[in-house]
Amino acid sequence: MKDSNISENDVITQPVKIAARNVQVYYGDNHAIKDVNVEIDDKTVTAFIGPSGCGKSTFLRCINRMNDTIDICRVTGDIEIDGEDIYDRKVDPVQLRAKVGMVFQKPNPFPKSIYDNVAYGPRIHGLARNKAELDDIVERALKRGAIWNEVKDRLNEPGTGLSGGQQQRLCIARAVATEPEVLLMDEPCSALDPIATAQVEELIDELRQNYSVVIVTHSMQQAARVSQKTAFFHLGHLVEFGDTDKIFTAPEDPRTESYITGRIG
Amino acid sequence: MTDVANTGAPAAPKTSKSLLTQDARTIKRNRAETRFKMYGIAAISIGMLMLVILLTTIIGRGTGAFQQTFITLSVPLTEAKIDKTGTRDIEQIKKVSTFGYAPLLSAAFAQKVTELGIETDLKPKDMANLLSKDAPATLRDYVLENLDQIGQTVEFEFLAQSRVDGYLKDRVDRGSIANDKNISAEQLDLVDGLLVAGTLEKRFNISFITGADASDARPEAAGMGVSMIGSLSMMLVVLVLALPIGVAASIYLEEFAPKNWITDVIEVNISNLAAVPSIVFGILGLAVFINYMHLPNSAPLVGGLVLTLMTLPTIIISTRASLKAVPPSIRDAALGVGASKMQSVFHHVLPLAAPGILTGTIIGLAQALGETAPLLLIGMVGFIASNPPETIAEGLLSPNSAMPAQIYEWAKRSDPAFYERAWGGIIILLVFLISMNAIAVMLRRRFERRW
């Protein structure tokens, strides 16, 4: 996990998973996202970077319609996943969120046991027919969340009793337990120490095998370490989007260059 | 340090003061703080003092009501007086009223006095006057239930009348009875004699807790039991109605309702309802439940409905507060794994809010339990001497009183013996309230320990 490994990020062309066209987001009168067009590839880590308040988290929350829970929030434009408009009237956000998992900024395990935390999603979606299958799903999810070895002996202990980094990996395990196709991460490491951050970043890199991962981050180093594609947001605009090494080595837009060199933001 | 000084480092500014002395401003601030602490301690001391005064007064005046004076007598159930026909026909025996039993008591009392060798000029009837006016009725009830005992001699423990009881509790003395036609000095002499002989004694009286109210002439027989059942029936109605309605309303308002001016108006009105004087709910209950819906007068069902109206705002406000206290990250987490809004509320938010909801509900119930004003308007105050109801439906629909109303009823009667019972009733009411609060604390602990 060195800064210098940007060039090692392999860029293999993958099919487009999420396509956004002319997306506008309003919070009441505030125009938070202005005309964003972006195509996010499958089995790729895409990082959203930009200064605070630039709209990157807002845009992320549009992808699984978490913004629906905010009364004053209004979204226009199209966001398609696998060619289907997720803002179509026929789409039930609950089904969408099973397909598009999310990990939040602050680790937010349920105040239940570790097992129940992971099993909750599969239970409500009816993914397991019996206890043995559910056990399997939980074990697989915890392994994928790279936390199985630490918690396998204490699955019945409360998830809230784990350390911050463990909690965040538990939340990732919980998100992958419902077999999503896209994983959204909203600054997943901002509440973690460097060691826990390193573990989570390693995990993100592995998750790329199966999912399209979109990560919002404040740390440009992190974006450079984990992502293959990077999008730079500024004041609600998507300023530049492209291969991570290109964004960090030869940005086209002067604003991107100012940000990554530390002149704005 | 000296080296540094020698190299010509700039001298410390002259304004710098030693940390070992306080400057005027610091002294002033510290004094203000000390003063404020003193105010706080004084306020708490006053509060504690009031509490101590309250408790000592209540306990000092009320505990007497739990003790009553009893007189032990062996009464021969003479067949000639009770069952003139000798057929043991219950219909015939029922024709003998309590007046018919009075001579039996007089005779038994006179015989007891003779046996004990106490000298007195009193006539047997005046001796029996020491017994409660309840005694002939006690005797009659016993005979009607045990027809086979007619002709036998049975030992009874009768309540003594309230002046005798008052004499043993130092409420009555020879000075205070000068103009009292209920008791005379000779009768008190007899009481002294009986007390020495052990025939007359003061002890714990369970029927104060379990019994029904009694008429003005027999304060010694009055008890809280029936009004307690009235209160409990009302609490049942309040719990069954107010908890589900209140919790459902709060969940909808807090989690589902769109935030617009209609919900704002509802919110403001609920807060205002919590501050409406309870007597307003009383007259509303009178107008709606009794005059319009023709529900029975004085029934705990009506009382429960009125108290439900009164408790709902309390429950809604506390439930909404505890729902609001659940961190939004839990809702996000549930929605994030694809739970529906309802699943996120019922699986995650509600269990976390449960301790707060329970506490709010129990406090609302306790408030309703102590409420008197609305009951005055729907007729749940007054002399209710009926026996305990047998079924829940009867308990809800037959006229009854409630504990605070019963206390009010006793307190306004003239006989000081009732005054003592009012204090005793307050002890029972407080025990109820304290145990409800204890349950609230216990449930809270238990649920919170689970997560």
Side-chain angles (χ1 to χ4, degrees), chain B residues 123-151:
Chain B
K123 293 178 205 150
K125 199 182 159 202
D126 291 331
M127 293 180 193
N129 202 10
L130 292 179
L131 297 173
S132 164
K133 291 199 169 57
D134 213 38
T138 316
L139 195 58
R140 182 171 180 266
D141 289 345
Y142 178 82
V143 169
L144 290 178
E145 273 183 22
N146 304 284
L147 291 179
D148 54 320
Q149 294 289 321
I150 295 178

PDB file of all heavy atoms in Angstrom, chain B residues 123-151:
ATOM      1  N   LYS B 123     -75.513  -0.808  81.033  1.00  0.00           N
ATOM      2  CA  LYS B 123     -76.465  -1.826  80.602  1.00  0.00           C
ATOM      3  C   LYS B 123     -75.827  -2.632  79.474  1.00  0.00           C
ATOM      4  O   LYS B 123     -74.955  -2.115  78.770  1.00  0.00           O
ATOM      5  CB  LYS B 123     -77.743  -1.147  80.081  1.00  0.00           C
ATOM      6  CG  LYS B 123     -78.526  -0.441  81.154  1.00  0.00           C
ATOM      7  CD  LYS B 123     -79.724   0.228  80.491  1.00  0.00           C
ATOM      8  CE  LYS B 123     -80.189   1.403  81.316  1.00  0.00           C
ATOM      9  NZ  LYS B 123     -80.779   2.443  80.496  1.00  0.00           N
ATOM     10  N   PRO B 124     -76.268  -3.875  79.283  1.00  0.00           N
ATOM     11  CA  PRO B 124     -75.687  -4.694  78.204  1.00  0.00           C
ATOM     12  C   PRO B 124     -75.709  -3.989  76.853  1.00  0.00           C
ATOM     13  O   PRO B 124     -74.762  -4.078  76.067  1.00  0.00           O
ATOM     14  CB  PRO B 124     -76.579  -5.927  78.190  1.00  0.00           C
ATOM     15  CG  PRO B 124     -77.100  -6.021  79.581  1.00  0.00           C
ATOM     16  CD  PRO B 124     -77.227  -4.612  80.092  1.00  0.00           C
ATOM     17  N   LYS B 125     -76.792  -3.243  76.556  1.00  0.00           N
ATOM     18  CA  LYS B 125     -76.905  -2.578  75.264  1.00  0.00           C
ATOM     19  C   LYS B 125     -75.803  -1.518  75.095  1.00  0.00           C
ATOM     20  O   LYS B 125     -75.247  -1.356  74.010  1.00  0.00           O
ATOM     21  CB  LYS B 125     -78.282  -1.917  75.178  1.00  0.00           C
ATOM     22  CG  LYS B 125     -78.693  -1.590  73.751  1.00  0.00           C
ATOM     23  CD  LYS B 125     -80.039  -0.889  73.712  1.00  0.00           C
ATOM     24  CE  LYS B 125     -80.175  -0.133  72.421  1.00  0.00           C
ATOM     25  NZ  LYS B 125     -81.137   0.928  72.506  1.00  0.00           N
ATOM     26  N   ASP B 126     -75.489  -0.818  76.215  1.00  0.00           N
ATOM     27  CA  ASP B 126     -74.442   0.200  76.141  1.00  0.00           C
ATOM     28  C   ASP B 126     -73.062  -0.425  76.001  1.00  0.00           C
ATOM     29  O   ASP B 126     -72.157   0.145  75.390  1.00  0.00           O
ATOM     30  CB  ASP B 126     -74.485   1.092  77.386  1.00  0.00           C
ATOM     31  CG  ASP B 126     -75.731   1.951  77.402  1.00  0.00           C
ATOM     32  OD1 ASP B 126     -76.216   2.265  76.290  1.00  0.00           O
ATOM     33  OD2 ASP B 126     -76.220   2.278  78.495  1.00  0.00           O
ATOM     34  N   MET B 127     -72.950  -1.633  76.621  1.00  0.00           N
ATOM     35  CA  MET B 127     -71.676  -2.332  76.455  1.00  0.00           C
ATOM     36  C   MET B 127     -71.483  -2.696  74.984  1.00  0.00           C
ATOM     37  O   MET B 127     -70.419  -2.449  74.389  1.00  0.00           O
ATOM     38  CB  MET B 127     -71.670  -3.624  77.266  1.00  0.00           C
ATOM     39  CG  MET B 127     -71.691  -3.428  78.758  1.00  0.00           C
ATOM     40  SD  MET B 127     -71.691  -5.062  79.484  1.00  0.00           S
ATOM     41  CE  MET B 127     -72.102  -4.654  81.155  1.00  0.00           C
ATOM     42  N   ALA B 128     -72.533  -3.264  74.353  1.00  0.00           N
ATOM     43  CA  ALA B 128     -72.443  -3.693  72.956  1.00  0.00           C
ATOM     44  C   ALA B 128     -72.230  -2.507  72.032  1.00  0.00           C
ATOM     45  O   ALA B 128     -71.772  -2.655  70.897  1.00  0.00           O
ATOM     46  CB  ALA B 128     -73.703  -4.454  72.554  1.00  0.00           C
ATOM     47  N   ASN B 129     -72.516  -1.317  72.560  1.00  0.00           N
ATOM     48  CA  ASN B 129     -72.299  -0.095  71.795  1.00  0.00           C
ATOM     49  C   ASN B 129     -70.816   0.129  71.483  1.00  0.00           C
ATOM     50  O   ASN B 129     -70.462   0.883  70.588  1.00  0.00           O
ATOM     51  CB  ASN B 129     -72.855   1.071  72.617  1.00  0.00           C
ATOM     52  CG  ASN B 129     -73.164   2.257  71.746  1.00  0.00           C
ATOM     53  OD1 ASN B 129     -73.131   2.137  70.531  1.00  0.00           O
ATOM     54  ND2 ASN B 129     -73.442   3.378  72.365  1.00  0.00           N
ATOM     55  N   LEU B 130     -69.943  -0.560  72.257  1.00  0.00           N
ATOM     56  CA  LEU B 130     -68.511  -0.436  71.987  1.00  0.00           C
ATOM     57  C   LEU B 130     -68.140  -1.110  70.678  1.00  0.00           C
ATOM     58  O   LEU B 130     -67.101  -0.829  70.090  1.00  0.00           O
ATOM     59  CB  LEU B 130     -67.704  -1.067  73.134  1.00  0.00           C
ATOM     60  CG  LEU B 130     -67.765  -0.346  74.472  1.00  0.00           C
ATOM     61  CD1 LEU B 130     -66.936  -1.102  75.491  1.00  0.00           C
ATOM     62  CD2 LEU B 130     -67.269   1.081  74.342  1.00  0.00           C
ATOM     63  N   LEU B 131     -69.011  -2.036  70.243  1.00  0.00           N
ATOM     64  CA  LEU B 131     -68.734  -2.720  68.980  1.00  0.00           C
ATOM     65  C   LEU B 131     -69.104  -1.808  67.823  1.00  0.00           C
ATOM     66  O   LEU B 131     -69.916  -0.885  67.962  1.00  0.00           O
ATOM     67  CB  LEU B 131     -69.566  -4.004  68.895  1.00  0.00           C
ATOM     68  CG  LEU B 131     -69.259  -5.060  69.943  1.00  0.00           C
ATOM     69  CD1 LEU B 131     -70.284  -6.181  69.839  1.00  0.00           C
ATOM     70  CD2 LEU B 131     -67.855  -5.600  69.768  1.00  0.00           C
ATOM     71  N   SER B 132     -68.513  -2.105  66.689  1.00  0.00           N
ATOM     72  CA  SER B 132     -68.854  -1.356  65.493  1.00  0.00           C
ATOM     73  C   SER B 132     -70.302  -1.611  65.126  1.00  0.00           C
ATOM     74  O   SER B 132     -70.852  -2.675  65.434  1.00  0.00           O
ATOM     75  CB  SER B 132     -67.952  -1.803  64.345  1.00  0.00           C
ATOM     76  OG  SER B 132     -68.473  -1.398  63.125  1.00  0.00           O
ATOM     77  N   LYS B 133     -70.928  -0.656  64.448  1.00  0.00           N
ATOM     78  CA  LYS B 133     -72.284  -0.874  63.950  1.00  0.00           C
ATOM     79  C   LYS B 133     -72.281  -1.933  62.861  1.00  0.00           C
ATOM     80  O   LYS B 133     -73.319  -2.355  62.368  1.00  0.00           O
ATOM     81  CB  LYS B 133     -72.856   0.438  63.419  1.00  0.00           C
ATOM     82  CG  LYS B 133     -73.119   1.435  64.530  1.00  0.00           C
ATOM     83  CD  LYS B 133     -74.088   2.517  64.094  1.00  0.00           C
ATOM     84  CE  LYS B 133     -74.559   3.343  65.268  1.00  0.00           C
ATOM     85  NZ  LYS B 133     -73.440   3.975  66.004  1.00  0.00           N
ATOM     86  N   ASP B 134     -71.077  -2.322  62.492  1.00  0.00           N
ATOM     87  CA  ASP B 134     -70.899  -3.360  61.489  1.00  0.00           C
ATOM     88  C   ASP B 134     -71.075  -4.758  62.085  1.00  0.00           C
ATOM     89  O   ASP B 134     -71.312  -5.719  61.361  1.00  0.00           O
ATOM     90  CB  ASP B 134     -69.478  -3.239  60.927  1.00  0.00           C
ATOM     91  CG  ASP B 134     -69.424  -3.623  59.471  1.00  0.00           C
ATOM     92  OD1 ASP B 134     -70.391  -3.285  58.751  1.00  0.00           O
ATOM     93  OD2 ASP B 134     -68.427  -4.241  59.066  1.00  0.00           O
ATOM     94  N   ALA B 135     -70.965  -4.851  63.435  1.00  0.00           N
ATOM     95  CA  ALA B 135     -70.903  -6.162  64.085  1.00  0.00           C
ATOM     96  C   ALA B 135     -72.149  -7.013  63.860  1.00  0.00           C
ATOM     97  O   ALA B 135     -72.017  -8.191  63.502  1.00  0.00           O
ATOM     98  CB  ALA B 135     -70.617  -5.982  65.576  1.00  0.00           C
ATOM     99  N   PRO B 136     -73.382  -6.472  64.026  1.00  0.00           N
ATOM    100  CA  PRO B 136     -74.554  -7.318  63.784  1.00  0.00           C
ATOM    101  C   PRO B 136     -74.581  -7.859  62.365  1.00  0.00           C
ATOM    102  O   PRO B 136     -74.939  -9.032  62.144  1.00  0.00           O
ATOM    103  CB  PRO B 136     -75.733  -6.374  64.033  1.00  0.00           C
ATOM    104  CG  PRO B 136     -75.189  -5.280  64.886  1.00  0.00           C
ATOM    105  CD  PRO B 136     -73.771  -5.127  64.498  1.00  0.00           C
ATOM    106  N   ALA B 137     -74.146  -7.032  61.394  1.00  0.00           N
ATOM    107  CA  ALA B 137     -74.132  -7.481  59.996  1.00  0.00           C
ATOM    108  C   ALA B 137     -73.118  -8.607  59.814  1.00  0.00           C
ATOM    109  O   ALA B 137     -73.377  -9.595  59.124  1.00  0.00           O
ATOM    110  CB  ALA B 137     -73.797  -6.320  59.080  1.00  0.00           C
ATOM    111  N   THR B 138     -71.954  -8.482  60.459  1.00  0.00           N
ATOM    112  CA  THR B 138     -70.941  -9.543  60.392  1.00  0.00           C
ATOM    113  C   THR B 138     -71.532 -10.845  60.909  1.00  0.00           C
ATOM    114  O   THR B 138     -71.377 -11.915  60.302  1.00  0.00           O
ATOM    115  CB  THR B 138     -69.716  -9.166  61.268  1.00  0.00           C
ATOM    116  OG1 THR B 138     -69.395  -7.807  61.038  1.00  0.00           O
ATOM    117  CG2 THR B 138     -68.538 -10.052  60.970  1.00  0.00           C
ATOM    118  N   LEU B 139     -72.234 -10.724  62.041  1.00  0.00           N
ATOM    119  CA  LEU B 139     -72.840 -11.899  62.669  1.00  0.00           C
ATOM    120  C   LEU B 139     -73.875 -12.530  61.748  1.00  0.00           C
ATOM    121  O   LEU B 139     -73.878 -13.749  61.530  1.00  0.00           O
ATOM    122  CB  LEU B 139     -73.494 -11.447  63.986  1.00  0.00           C
ATOM    123  CG  LEU B 139     -73.879 -12.525  64.981  1.00  0.00           C
ATOM    124  CD1 LEU B 139     -72.661 -13.342  65.376  1.00  0.00           C
ATOM    125  CD2 LEU B 139     -74.518 -11.893  66.210  1.00  0.00           C
ATOM    126  N   ARG B 140     -74.711 -11.661  61.161  1.00  0.00           N
ATOM    127  CA  ARG B 140     -75.790 -12.164  60.301  1.00  0.00           C
ATOM    128  C   ARG B 140     -75.215 -12.874  59.071  1.00  0.00           C
ATOM    129  O   ARG B 140     -75.652 -13.962  58.691  1.00  0.00           O
ATOM    130  CB  ARG B 140     -76.674 -10.992  59.875  1.00  0.00           C
ATOM    131  CG  ARG B 140     -77.867 -11.397  59.016  1.00  0.00           C
ATOM    132  CD  ARG B 140     -78.805 -10.222  58.819  1.00  0.00           C
ATOM    133  NE  ARG B 140     -79.952 -10.598  58.008  1.00  0.00           N
ATOM    134  CZ  ARG B 140     -80.001 -10.420  56.687  1.00  0.00           C
ATOM    135  NH1 ARG B 140     -78.982  -9.882  56.062  1.00  0.00           N
ATOM    136  NH2 ARG B 140     -81.091 -10.795  56.023  1.00  0.00           N
ATOM    137  N   ASP B 141     -74.196 -12.254  58.472  1.00  0.00           N
ATOM    138  CA  ASP B 141     -73.581 -12.862  57.286  1.00  0.00           C
ATOM    139  C   ASP B 141     -73.021 -14.231  57.622  1.00  0.00           C
ATOM    140  O   ASP B 141     -73.149 -15.188  56.850  1.00  0.00           O
ATOM    141  CB  ASP B 141     -72.448 -11.966  56.746  1.00  0.00           C
ATOM    142  CG  ASP B 141     -72.990 -10.702  56.110  1.00  0.00           C
ATOM    143  OD1 ASP B 141     -74.210 -10.657  55.840  1.00  0.00           O
ATOM    144  OD2 ASP B 141     -72.199  -9.753  55.899  1.00  0.00           O
ATOM    145  N   TYR B 142     -72.422 -14.323  58.821  1.00  0.00           N
ATOM    146  CA  TYR B 142     -71.827 -15.594  59.222  1.00  0.00           C
ATOM    147  C   TYR B 142     -72.906 -16.658  59.358  1.00  0.00           C
ATOM    148  O   TYR B 142     -72.762 -17.777  58.863  1.00  0.00           O
ATOM    149  CB  TYR B 142     -71.062 -15.419  60.539  1.00  0.00           C
ATOM    150  CG  TYR B 142     -70.467 -16.706  61.048  1.00  0.00           C
ATOM    151  CD1 TYR B 142     -69.254 -17.181  60.550  1.00  0.00           C
ATOM    152  CD2 TYR B 142     -71.127 -17.475  62.020  1.00  0.00           C
ATOM    153  CE1 TYR B 142     -68.722 -18.360  60.988  1.00  0.00           C
ATOM    154  CE2 TYR B 142     -70.585 -18.667  62.467  1.00  0.00           C
ATOM    155  CZ  TYR B 142     -69.372 -19.103  61.947  1.00  0.00           C
ATOM    156  OH  TYR B 142     -68.839 -20.280  62.381  1.00  0.00           O
ATOM    157  N   VAL B 143     -74.016 -16.274  60.016  1.00  0.00           N
ATOM    158  CA  VAL B 143     -75.102 -17.243  60.245  1.00  0.00           C
ATOM    159  C   VAL B 143     -75.678 -17.706  58.917  1.00  0.00           C
ATOM    160  O   VAL B 143     -75.887 -18.900  58.695  1.00  0.00           O
ATOM    161  CB  VAL B 143     -76.194 -16.620  61.144  1.00  0.00           C
ATOM    162  CG1 VAL B 143     -77.424 -17.509  61.160  1.00  0.00           C
ATOM    163  CG2 VAL B 143     -75.664 -16.409  62.547  1.00  0.00           C
ATOM    164  N   LEU B 144     -75.897 -16.784  58.002  1.00  0.00           N
ATOM    165  CA  LEU B 144     -76.510 -17.148  56.727  1.00  0.00           C
ATOM    166  C   LEU B 144     -75.610 -18.085  55.927  1.00  0.00           C
ATOM    167  O   LEU B 144     -76.080 -18.883  55.123  1.00  0.00           O
ATOM    168  CB  LEU B 144     -76.816 -15.895  55.902  1.00  0.00           C
ATOM    169  CG  LEU B 144     -77.956 -15.024  56.450  1.00  0.00           C
ATOM    170  CD1 LEU B 144     -78.156 -13.800  55.595  1.00  0.00           C
ATOM    171  CD2 LEU B 144     -79.256 -15.814  56.554  1.00  0.00           C
ATOM    172  N   GLU B 145     -74.328 -18.005  56.155  1.00  0.00           N
ATOM    173  CA  GLU B 145     -73.419 -18.888  55.416  1.00  0.00           C
ATOM    174  C   GLU B 145     -73.183 -20.202  56.138  1.00  0.00           C
ATOM    175  O   GLU B 145     -72.770 -21.181  55.532  1.00  0.00           O
ATOM    176  CB  GLU B 145     -72.078 -18.188  55.174  1.00  0.00           C
ATOM    177  CG  GLU B 145     -72.105 -17.370  53.901  1.00  0.00           C
ATOM    178  CD  GLU B 145     -70.768 -16.732  53.603  1.00  0.00           C
ATOM    179  OE1 GLU B 145     -69.750 -17.237  54.115  1.00  0.00           O
ATOM    180  OE2 GLU B 145     -70.772 -15.726  52.890  1.00  0.00           O
ATOM    181  N   ASN B 146     -73.403 -20.196  57.473  1.00  0.00           N
ATOM    182  CA  ASN B 146     -73.150 -21.419  58.254  1.00  0.00           C
ATOM    183  C   ASN B 146     -74.387 -21.768  59.069  1.00  0.00           C
ATOM    184  O   ASN B 146     -74.402 -21.607  60.282  1.00  0.00           O
ATOM    185  CB  ASN B 146     -71.951 -21.214  59.188  1.00  0.00           C
ATOM    186  CG  ASN B 146     -70.716 -20.795  58.446  1.00  0.00           C
ATOM    187  OD1 ASN B 146     -70.063 -21.599  57.788  1.00  0.00           O
ATOM    188  ND2 ASN B 146     -70.407 -19.512  58.509  1.00  0.00           N
ATOM    189  N   LEU B 147     -75.422 -22.256  58.375  1.00  0.00           N
ATOM    190  CA  LEU B 147     -76.680 -22.557  59.066  1.00  0.00           C
ATOM    191  C   LEU B 147     -76.490 -23.638  60.127  1.00  0.00           C
ATOM    192  O   LEU B 147     -77.182 -23.669  61.150  1.00  0.00           O
ATOM    193  CB  LEU B 147     -77.737 -23.003  58.059  1.00  0.00           C
ATOM    194  CG  LEU B 147     -78.237 -21.904  57.117  1.00  0.00           C
ATOM    195  CD1 LEU B 147     -79.260 -22.462  56.144  1.00  0.00           C
ATOM    196  CD2 LEU B 147     -78.823 -20.743  57.888  1.00  0.00           C
ATOM    197  N   ASP B 148     -75.544 -24.531  59.921  1.00  0.00           N
ATOM    198  CA  ASP B 148     -75.341 -25.630  60.875  1.00  0.00           C
ATOM    199  C   ASP B 148     -74.793 -25.150  62.213  1.00  0.00           C
ATOM    200  O   ASP B 148     -74.804 -25.886  63.187  1.00  0.00           O
ATOM    201  CB  ASP B 148     -74.387 -26.671  60.264  1.00  0.00           C
ATOM    202  CG  ASP B 148     -73.085 -26.039  59.810  1.00  0.00           C
ATOM    203  OD1 ASP B 148     -73.146 -24.914  59.255  1.00  0.00           O
ATOM    204  OD2 ASP B 148     -72.012 -26.635  60.006  1.00  0.00           O
ATOM    205  N   GLN B 149     -74.302 -23.919  62.234  1.00  0.00           N
ATOM    206  CA  GLN B 149     -73.727 -23.421  63.482  1.00  0.00           C
ATOM    207  C   GLN B 149     -74.793 -22.846  64.423  1.00  0.00           C
ATOM    208  O   GLN B 149     -74.473 -22.474  65.548  1.00  0.00           O
ATOM    209  CB  GLN B 149     -72.700 -22.319  63.186  1.00  0.00           C
ATOM    210  CG  GLN B 149     -71.463 -22.808  62.443  1.00  0.00           C
ATOM    211  CD  GLN B 149     -70.560 -23.657  63.313  1.00  0.00           C
ATOM    212  OE1 GLN B 149     -70.361 -23.374  64.494  1.00  0.00           O
ATOM    213  NE2 GLN B 149     -70.057 -24.749  62.748  1.00  0.00           N
ATOM    214  N   ILE B 150     -76.053 -22.765  63.970  1.00  0.00           N
ATOM    215  CA  ILE B 150     -77.097 -22.206  64.837  1.00  0.00           C
ATOM    216  C   ILE B 150     -77.256 -23.096  66.067  1.00  0.00           C
ATOM    217  O   ILE B 150     -77.283 -24.326  65.968  1.00  0.00           O
ATOM    218  CB  ILE B 150     -78.434 -22.095  64.075  1.00  0.00           C
ATOM    219  CG1 ILE B 150     -78.264 -21.087  62.931  1.00  0.00           C
ATOM    220  CG2 ILE B 150     -79.573 -21.650  64.994  1.00  0.00           C
ATOM    221  CD1 ILE B 150     -79.466 -20.913  62.079  1.00  0.00           C
ATOM    222  N   GLY B 151     -77.329 -22.451  67.232  1.00  0.00           N
ATOM    223  CA  GLY B 151     -77.426 -23.197  68.475  1.00  0.00           C
ATOM    224  C   GLY B 151     -76.070 -23.371  69.136  1.00  0.00           C
ATOM    225  O   GLY B 151     -75.963 -23.636  70.322  1.00  0.00           O
TER     226      GLY B 151
END
